[in-house]
């Protein structure tokens, strides 16, 4: 039966009933709802084209109920797009395979709905049009769309609702597609329509708001227009005028455009900065909070741009873009404006870290200004701090403390050290302030000081042997304060302990306080008033850092005593009565924290031979505990327990073999957990840990592990971020089982070669894809290195057929200017491994692929000592075979 006839046939049977199905799917009666959902699913599976056409007709039909039209639009949108990449690809392919005539009908229904008198239908249709555009415009399959939408804006009979929906559609389409997908003439026409839609005289409030929001999404497309002074002036004039609109929502949307312009077109902003300062200043001082927040964000964006420019060349800002030093020029007016915002605190902002208000935004921007201009900020901020820090009004004291804490990153150590040395004593006293807000911000400021200005290993610290006792005493008193203050104190202790890492003998000064610190942190973790459990989580994270950074020689007995205490606590969680989902989540969170502590203790005690025996003696009990935790089946715990087992495997070495039979089923479950892909990724990492621990003793489990890893790589469901670690894991397995890896070579190498070819085809204009490609390249090289080293002493000839492909891949990577340093190191190492493992058999190959000479030359000139060392070794390996 021809497809159009099939659609008509199904329409008679089911399309007439789709209204009923859609309404029933929203019923309060669960039975009615379930049955309707099943009917919709059946219709979708039996005949997708007819299903989508029926949905689009439902959405377009003004005689249908609003409720059924709303759900029709949602289902239609979800049939075209999904968050999961594999599902999205499948939906795109399904749409592409539908007959053109049916797709045209669907699109016609959607475009007609943009003129519907029902706002909700118009809005939903705009979103669905954009989803189809995202699929078709890059394929040049919907050339008429932009013209049709433009006609909606220019035809005299077009009503305000149609114009609003059309502008929404432009905005959504620009959000979905790349600026490379449209011709410049189309971009010009879209921008003209959008900017005209912002015109106050000709349009309703709803149209102007839709136009302003559309401009925000279209700004990425306007690069050519912003290079043209006349067009740029016009766009900036309209945006600035819109920033003074009567309606708050429109002003907010216009300032959002300015924020985007600040980061996208920084280099052309010079002529407009005086106007922009006046606009933002007025908004910050007197406008509604939603508008003021965007005005502050404008200056934060300017700071971000200038900080990035300075990272290229701190002196001249040379990165190919001009450094206009807008922050430096505006400093004398900008800083007082931001300081004023700090006094606009909300009464309860100390109780909720998610609150974002003018005061928080102003402090964040002040911190960015400090990073941008350095020492120049101090004379502008310190008088504010000094004049407000002692005032009776808590708002003044809190603002002064927040200002001080915000400017600690940026100015030079030389300028800051004296200020902080004298300020530290005052801040310690302020931890006893009568006001909770002040104590909260003081504790945060102390954590900033310890993070940025406490580095004994680097030769400078505001904390000395003389004042450490007082610092610790104040912090341990403060941790008993209200939960929000205690949480900030945890942060201060965290950075205080971290400062002593790698400090050698200097770390000894903290050792005598560690038992008290650990005791207080454990008590804090057990507090009943921890609210949403954030305090408990912070206390355990801080405990981990205290253990990790302690001097193991001096604290071994303390940490050894902590081990059974944490094990006992974890054991008690397994016995908890679980009566609800909330109970299950609380149990999972607590087990995750405790497994995290055990992981750090295991790593610390096994880092030196003297204390490793403590772990070995309790390994059986620890493993039994972890297996009990796995039995609770919480994915969060699964991750933390997996990581801790990886640490235990490293500590126990070949002794870990006795746990494998019992543990293996959980390992297998983790490798098959596609849905919670982080669990899968961590499990892959633990397989590597176990291979390094067991060496050849892992062999009995390798068939099934390799089978699962190959399936993971082949799966479209599994998140792509798990795939690079799997390739690295191939190398770990090969190193462990050596010549026994032979039977896996055909499958593993096929996957590795396929991934190498995928790297060559990836879109290098997408930053996320560039990062992923670099991870993939590095992991492929790591896999080759492990396999080559595994075969080095026997059967190395197995890898000879793959040598040419490997060298071609390395050459492709060498020519890629976007490779990162870790990829370069892995590539150079694998060239050496190839020469070392295959020896004279590769002489001819290296003669043909002479690019390696240039590659090694580049690496030998690097500032990276590790890279130079690897390149020297690789050069020696190749020279050895070339003269043989």
């Amino acid at each position: 039966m021809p497809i159009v006839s099939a659609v008509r046939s199904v329409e008679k049977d089911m399309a007439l009933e789709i209204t009923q199905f859609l309404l029933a799917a929203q019923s309060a009666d669960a039975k009615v709802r379930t049955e309707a959902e099943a009917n919709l699913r059946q219709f979708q599976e039996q005949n997708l084209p007819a299903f989508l056409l029926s949905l689009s007709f439902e959405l377009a039909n003004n005689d249908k109920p609003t409720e059924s039209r709303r759900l029709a639009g949602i289902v239609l949108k979800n049939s075209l797009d999904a968050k999961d990449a594999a599902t999205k690809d499948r939906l795109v392919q399904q749409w592409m395979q539908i007959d053109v005539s049916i797709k045209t009908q669907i699109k016609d229904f959607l475009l007609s709905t943009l003129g519907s008198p029902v706002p909700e239908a118009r809005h939903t249709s705009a979103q669905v049009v954009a989803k189809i555009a995202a699929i078709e415009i890059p394929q040049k399959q919907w050339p008429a769309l932009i013209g049709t939408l433009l006609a909606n804006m220019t035809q005299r009979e077009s009503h305000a609702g149609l114009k609003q929906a059309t502008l929404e559609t432009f905005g959504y389409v620009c959000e979905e597609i790349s600026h490379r997908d449209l011709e410049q003439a189309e971009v010009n026409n879209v921008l003209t329509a959008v900017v005209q839609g912002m015109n106050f005289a000709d349009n309703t409030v709803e149209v102007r708001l839709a136009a302003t929001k559309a401009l925000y999404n279209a700004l990425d497309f306007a690069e050519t227009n912003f290079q043209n002074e006349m067009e740029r002036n016009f766009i900036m004039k309209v945006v600035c005028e819109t920033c003074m609109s009567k309606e708050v929502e429109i002003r907010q949307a216009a300032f959002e455009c300015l924020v985007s312009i600040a980061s996208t077109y920084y280099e052309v902003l010079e002529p407009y900065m005086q106007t922009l300062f006046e606009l933002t200043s007025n908004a910050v001082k007197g406008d509604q909070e939603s508008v003021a927040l965007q005005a502050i964000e404008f200056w934060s964006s300017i700071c971000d741009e200038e900080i990035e420019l300075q990272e290229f060349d701190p002196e001249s800002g040379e990165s190919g873009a001009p450094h206009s030093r807008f922050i430096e020029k505006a400093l004398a007016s900008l800083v007082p404006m931001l300081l004023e915002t700090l006094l606009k605190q909300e009464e309860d902002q100390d109780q909720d870290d998610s609150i974002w208000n003018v005061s928080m935004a102003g402090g964040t921007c002040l911190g960015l200004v400090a990073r941008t201009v350095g020492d120049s900020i101090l004379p502008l901020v310190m008088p504010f701090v000094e004049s407000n820090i002692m005032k009776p009004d808590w708002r003044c004291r809190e603002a002064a403390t927040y200002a001080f804490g915000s400017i600690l990153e940026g100015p030079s150590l030389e300028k800051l050290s004296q200020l902080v040395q004298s300020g530290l004593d005052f801040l310690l006293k302020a931890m006893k302030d009568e006001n909770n807000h002040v104590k909260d911000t003081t504790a945060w400021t102390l954590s900033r000081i310890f993070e940025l200005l406490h580095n004994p290993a680097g030769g400078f610290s505001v904390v000395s042997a003389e004042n450490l006792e007082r610092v610790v005493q104040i912090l341990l008193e403060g941790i008993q304060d209200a939960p929000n203050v205690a949480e900030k104190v945890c942060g201060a202790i965290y950075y205080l302990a971290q400062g002593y890492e790698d400090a050698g003998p200097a770390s000894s000064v903290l050792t005598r306080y560690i038992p008290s610190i650990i005791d207080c942190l454990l008590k804090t973790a057990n507090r009943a008033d921890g609210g949403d459990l954030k305090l408990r989580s912070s206390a355990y994270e801080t405990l981990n850092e205290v253990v990790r950074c302690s001097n193991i020689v001096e604290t071994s007995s303390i940490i050894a005593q902590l081990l059974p205490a944490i094990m006992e606590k974890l054991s008690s969680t397994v016995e908890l009565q679980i009566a609800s989902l909330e109970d299950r989540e609380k149990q999972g969170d607590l087990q995750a924290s405790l497994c995290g502590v055990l992981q750090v203790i295991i790593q610390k005690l096994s880092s030196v031979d003297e204390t490793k025996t403590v772990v070995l003696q309790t390994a059986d009990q620890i493993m039994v505990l972890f297996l009990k935790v796995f039995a609770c089946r919480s994915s969060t715990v699964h991750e933390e327990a997996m990581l801790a087992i990886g640490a235990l495997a490293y500590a126990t070495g070949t002794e870990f073999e006795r746990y494998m039979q019992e543990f293996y089923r959980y390992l297998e479950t983790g490798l098959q957990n596609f849905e919670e892909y982080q669990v899968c990724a961590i499990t892959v990492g633990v397989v590597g840990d176990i291979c390094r621990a067991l060496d050849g003793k892992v062999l009995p489990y390798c068939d099934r592990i390799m089978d699962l890893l190959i399936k993971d790589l082949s799966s479209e469901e599994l998140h792509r971020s798990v795939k690079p670690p799997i390739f690295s894991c191939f190398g770990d397995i090969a190193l462990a089982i050596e010549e026994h890896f032979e039977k896996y070579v055909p499958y593993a190498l096929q996957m590795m070669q396929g991934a190498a070819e995928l790297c060559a085809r990836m879109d290098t204009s997408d930053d996320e894809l560039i990062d992923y490609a670099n991870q993939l390249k590095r992991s492929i090289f790591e896999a080759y290195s492990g396999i080559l080293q595994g075969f080095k002493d026997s059967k190395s000839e197995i890898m000879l057929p793959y040598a040419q492909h490997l060298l071609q891949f390395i050459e492709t990577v060498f020519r890629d200017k976007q490779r990162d340093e870790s990829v370069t190191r892995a590539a150079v190492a694998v060239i050496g491994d190839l020469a070392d493992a295959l020896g004279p058999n590769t002489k001819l190959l290296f003669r043909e692929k002479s690019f390696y000479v240039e590659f090694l030359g580049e690496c030998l000139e690097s500032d990276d000592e590790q890279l130079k060392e690897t390149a020297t070794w690789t050069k020696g390996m190749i020279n050895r075979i070339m003269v043989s």
Side-chain angles (χ1 to χ4, degrees):
M1 183 189 287
I3 191 157
V4 176
S5 304
V7 171
R8 286 181 186 137
S9 165
V10 176
E11 275 183 316
K12 285 176 185 173
D13 298 329
M14 295 191 81
L16 295 173
E17 298 174 29
I18 201 164
T19 306
Q20 270 30 74
F21 293 159
L22 291 165
L23 292 172
Q26 301 171 73
S27 168
D29 185 326
K31 188 181 176 192
V32 173
R33 199 167 60 244
T34 306
E35 190 179 334
E37 287 168 356
N39 282 326
L40 286 170
R41 200 158 42 246
Q42 183 188 357
F43 188 2
Q44 183 176 23
E45 288 165 1
Q46 281 182 357
N47 197 326
L48 181 67
F51 178 68
L52 298 181
L53 186 57
S54 299
L55 290 171
S56 62
F57 177 72
E58 185 79 17
L59 181 59
N61 191 335
N62 290 322
D63 296 328
K64 295 288 185 178
T66 303
E67 293 79 8
S68 66
R69 295 176 75 185
R70 181 199 305 117
L71 187 56
I74 292 169
V75 175
L76 194 50
K77 187 163 63 114
N78 292 342
S79 301
L80 296 163
D81 192 22
K83 286 182 180 177
D84 176 68
T87 308
K88 183 173 182 170
D89 287 345
R90 180 173 56 77
L91 295 176
V92 167
Q93 289 309 312
Q94 283 180 355
W95 173 260
M96 298 289 278
Q97 286 161 17
I98 292 173
D99 185 82
V100 173
S101 64
I102 294 173
K103 286 196 287 191
T104 302
Q105 288 180 69
I106 292 170
K107 291 186 285 191
D108 287 346
F109 279 137
L110 290 168
L111 289 171
S112 71
T113 312
L114 295 177
S116 168
V118 180
E120 201 168 358
R122 297 198 301 265
H123 174 74
T124 306
S125 189
Q127 292 179 313
V128 181
V129 167
K131 293 300 179 187
I132 297 174
I135 299 170
E136 296 202 347
I137 286 183
Q139 309 288 334
K140 307 295 181 194
Q141 285 186 3
W142 199 356
L145 174 64
I146 299 298
T148 304
L149 294 173
L150 288 168
N152 288 348
M153 296 301 296
T154 53
Q155 285 168 0
R156 186 168 293 178
E157 64 272 19
S158 294
H159 57 86
L162 175 59
K163 287 185 175 181
Q164 178 195 2
T166 300
L167 288 163
E168 274 192 355
T169 309
F170 276 136
Y172 292 137
V173 169
C174 289
E175 198 174 13
E176 291 284 346
I177 66 174
S178 161
H179 61 90
R180 291 185 296 277
D181 294 328
L182 293 183
E183 301 295 330
Q184 187 56 44
E186 291 178 308
V187 171
N188 294 343
N189 289 333
V190 169
L191 283 171
T192 301
V194 167
V195 172
Q196 283 175 351
M198 294 168 72
N199 188 296
F200 173 76
D202 302 335
N203 296 296
T204 64
V205 170
E206 292 76 16
V207 169
R208 285 163 50 225
L209 178 60
T212 310
K213 287 181 174 180
L215 179 64
Y216 177 85
N217 286 328
L219 282 168
D220 275 348
F221 292 70
E223 187 176 352
T224 302
N225 310 82
F226 265 80
Q227 287 167 359
N228 180 307
E229 187 181 358
M230 193 169 74
E231 291 182 41
R232 181 175 71 240
N233 285 342
F234 182 63
I235 294 170
M236 290 300 293
K237 177 175 176 288
V238 171
V239 174
C240 290
E241 285 171 357
T242 309
C243 285
M244 295 183 285
S245 176
K246 282 190 298 183
E247 297 79 14
V248 174
E249 240 189 311
I250 294 178
R251 292 201 301 277
Q252 181 186 337
F255 273 104
E256 284 172 5
C257 288
L258 285 183
V259 172
S260 178
I261 289 166
S263 56
T264 313
Y265 301 112
Y266 169 90
E267 67 277 4
V268 295
L269 285 182
E270 181 84 60
Y272 316 106
M273 285 308 288
Q274 185 59 43
T275 303
L276 294 174
F277 182 83
E278 287 168 16
L279 278 172
T280 52
S281 180
N282 290 337
V284 171
K285 288 173 183 173
D287 211 327
Q288 298 284 331
E289 182 173 79
S290 60
V291 181
L293 285 171
Q294 293 304 321
I296 295 169
E297 186 63 25
F298 170 82
W299 289 103
S300 292
S301 292
I302 295 288
C303 287
D304 287 336
E305 292 304 306
E306 298 198 344
I307 289 166
E308 192 174 337
L309 287 167
Q310 283 160 200
E311 282 171 0
F312 284 97
D313 185 344
E315 294 303 313
S316 65
E318 285 175 15
S319 64
H323 189 342
S324 300
R325 306 193 185 280
F326 294 135
I327 299 297
E328 198 178 290
K329 291 170 187 172
L331 203 59
S333 305
L334 178 60
V335 170
M337 177 183 85
L338 293 173
L339 290 171
E340 207 176 299
T341 66
L342 304 189
L343 293 159
K344 297 179 180 179
Q345 308 97 322
E346 290 175 23
E347 285 289 346
D348 58 349
Q349 71 180 38
D350 59 328
Q351 299 299 323
D352 184 357
D353 280 348
S354 65
I355 283 179
W356 188 247
N357 55 30
V358 169
S359 166
M360 307 293 287
T364 302
C365 187
L366 192 66
L368 290 167
V369 171
R371 288 177 57 198
T372 309
V373 300
D375 292 346
S376 307
I377 200 168
L378 295 173
L380 293 165
V381 172
M382 288 315 295
F384 175 86
V385 173
E386 288 157 7
S387 65
N388 283 283
I389 200 79
M390 298 289 286
K391 284 186 177 174
D393 184 350
W394 72 263
R395 292 179 184 279
C396 297
R397 299 197 304 279
E398 194 276 339
T401 311
Y402 189 24
F404 188 61
S406 297
I407 60 164
L408 294 173
E409 187 177 7
S412 63
L413 195 58
E414 184 187 359
K415 295 280 185 185
L416 274 179
S417 57
Q418 195 174 347
L419 287 173
V420 175
Q421 290 283 13
S422 56
L424 181 61
D425 186 60
F426 191 91
L427 288 165
L428 292 172
K429 285 178 186 165
M431 281 301 296
K432 297 184 187 297
D433 195 282
E434 63 194 31
N435 182 272
N436 196 62
H437 291 78
V438 176
K439 286 187 286 189
D440 183 275
T441 304
T442 301
W444 172 79
T445 301
L446 285 170
S447 75
R448 292 267 296 168
I449 287 171
F450 299 147
E451 180 187 5
L452 299 166
L453 298 161
H454 165 52
N455 182 17
F460 173 78
S461 176
V462 295
V463 181
S464 62
E466 291 72 38
N467 67 9
L468 178 59
E469 184 173 2
R470 180 151 180 261
V471 167
V472 172
Q473 181 192 345
I474 296 289
L475 293 178
L476 296 189
E477 287 171 9
I479 207 169
Q480 296 169 52
D481 212 309
N484 62 296
V485 176
E487 192 203 325
K488 304 293 191 309
V489 172
C490 284
I493 295 171
Y494 181 101
Y495 288 115
L496 178 69
Q498 192 182 77
Y500 289 107
E501 186 182 15
D502 303 325
S507 66
S508 296
V509 294
L510 187 67
T511 301
R512 73 187 181 98
Y513 303 107
I514 286 198
S516 305
I517 292 171
I518 288 175
D519 186 52
C520 280
L521 288 169
L522 288 173
K523 284 177 181 168
T524 303
N526 289 331
R527 276 172 63 162
D529 63 346
D532 60 358
L533 307 181
K534 199 169 178 190
L535 175 58
R536 186 171 72 188
S537 175
S538 295
Y540 280 127
E541 282 175 24
T542 303
L543 178 60
N544 290 347
E545 199 65 3
V546 169
V547 170
R548 195 181 68 78
C549 299
S550 64
N551 185 323
I552 185 62
V553 176
E554 297 172 352
T555 59
S556 57
S557 61
I558 303 164
I559 297 169
Q561 286 167 25
L562 180 62
L563 178 58
I566 299 295
M567 287 171 64
E568 187 181 341
K569 181 76 177 167
L570 183 58
S571 182
S572 70
T573 66
V574 177
E575 310 302 327
L576 287 173
Q577 292 297 311
I578 305 298
S580 66
L581 190 61
E582 188 184 354
D583 287 347
R584 175 71 68 200
E585 283 178 8
K586 284 181 179 176
Q587 180 198 43
D589 289 341
L590 180 53
Q591 288 178 340
S593 291
L594 292 165
C595 286
V597 178
L598 283 177
Q599 180 194 350
V600 175
I601 292 173
I602 292 165
Q603 287 170 331
K604 192 70 179 178
L605 289 175
S606 49
S607 63
V608 291
D609 290 337
E610 291 80 2
T611 53
K612 198 171 190 177
T613 52
V614 178
V615 177
L616 298 177
Q617 285 162 4
T618 50
D620 288 358
Q621 297 101 295
I622 294 172
M623 195 64 195
V624 167
L625 258 180
F626 288 150
L627 292 173
K628 283 181 180 176
V629 167
F630 276 121
C632 294
R633 300 192 178 280
S634 160
S635 65
T636 316
V637 166
H638 201 156
E639 288 181 49
E640 302 292 342
M642 269 291 175
L643 288 165
I645 285 172
L648 188 65
Y650 176 81
T652 54
T654 53
E655 294 296 310
F656 191 81
E657 183 192 12
R658 65 176 181 265
Y659 310 125
M660 275 302 288
Q661 200 162 356
E662 190 72 26
F663 169 59
Y664 177 72
R665 62 194 170 114
Y666 296 112
L667 198 70
E668 199 169 85
T669 304
L671 291 176
Q672 291 171 303
N673 195 340
F674 290 1
E675 199 172 323
E676 294 159 323
Y677 65 87
Q678 296 94 334
V679 173
C680 190
I682 285 166
T683 309
V684 170
V686 170
V687 171
D689 293 334
I690 289 169
C691 288
R692 286 185 286 276
L694 296 186
D695 288 330
K697 289 183 177 181
V698 78
L699 184 59
Y701 304 94
C702 284
D703 281 359
R704 184 68 181 131
I705 287 173
M706 283 299 295
D707 182 46
L708 289 170
L709 293 176
I710 296 286
K711 280 180 180 167
D712 284 354
L713 284 174
S714 308
S715 167
E716 289 185 2
E717 290 175 56
L718 184 60
H719 195 275
R720 70 183 186 196
S721 64
V722 185
K723 299 190 176 182
I726 291 174
F727 287 117
S728 301
C729 193
F730 283 172
D732 294 327
I733 293 169
L735 261 176
I737 63 174
E738 298 179 335
E739 72 271 13
H740 298 291
F741 194 79
E742 180 181 359
K743 61 179 171 181
Y744 310 125
V745 166
Y747 314 105
L749 270 289
Q750 183 185 354
M751 289 288 184
M752 288 155 63
Q753 289 181 343
E757 283 154 21
L758 176 68
C759 289
R761 297 195 304 272
M762 272 190 197
D763 177 8
T764 54
S765 64
D766 183 326
D767 287 344
E768 270 189 40
L769 275 179
I770 291 170
D771 288 344
Y772 176 64
N774 278 323
Q775 290 168 25
L776 201 51
K777 289 167 189 170
R778 183 177 70 244
S779 66
I780 294 166
F781 291 143
E782 286 171 354
Y784 272 112
S785 279
I787 295 168
L788 286 163
Q789 287 173 39
F791 284 135
K792 179 184 165 186
D793 295 327
S794 63
K795 300 190 176 180
S796 61
E797 68 281 356
I798 290 167
M799 291 301 291
L800 202 54
Y802 305 99
Q804 183 162 9
H805 189 280
L806 172 57
L807 280 173
Q808 280 172 347
F809 178 43
I810 297 169
E811 182 170 10
T812 306
V813 170
F814 165 59
R815 306 287 177 207
D816 175 16
K817 299 307 170 197
Q818 290 176 313
R819 65 182 146 91
D820 67 20
E821 287 180 12
S822 66
V823 173
T824 303
R825 279 197 292 273
V828 170
V830 81
I831 296 173
D833 288 324
L834 185 69
D836 186 28
L838 301 187
N841 290 324
T842 55
K843 185 189 283 190
L844 200 59
L845 265 178
F846 278 113
R847 277 192 184 142
E848 287 172 8
K849 299 282 181 188
S850 57
F851 77 90
Y852 76 86
V853 177
E854 190 183 344
F855 192 11
L856 292 178
E858 176 196 300
C859 297
L860 290 167
E861 290 175 13
S862 167
D863 295 332
D864 183 334
E865 289 303 319
Q866 189 187 346
L867 179 58
K868 276 205 281 199
E869 197 177 311
T870 306
T872 303
W873 174 79
T874 296
K875 189 176 180 183
M877 288 294 109
I878 296 172
N879 287 345
R880 193 177 72 185
I881 59 171
M882 294 311 246
V883 298
S884 61

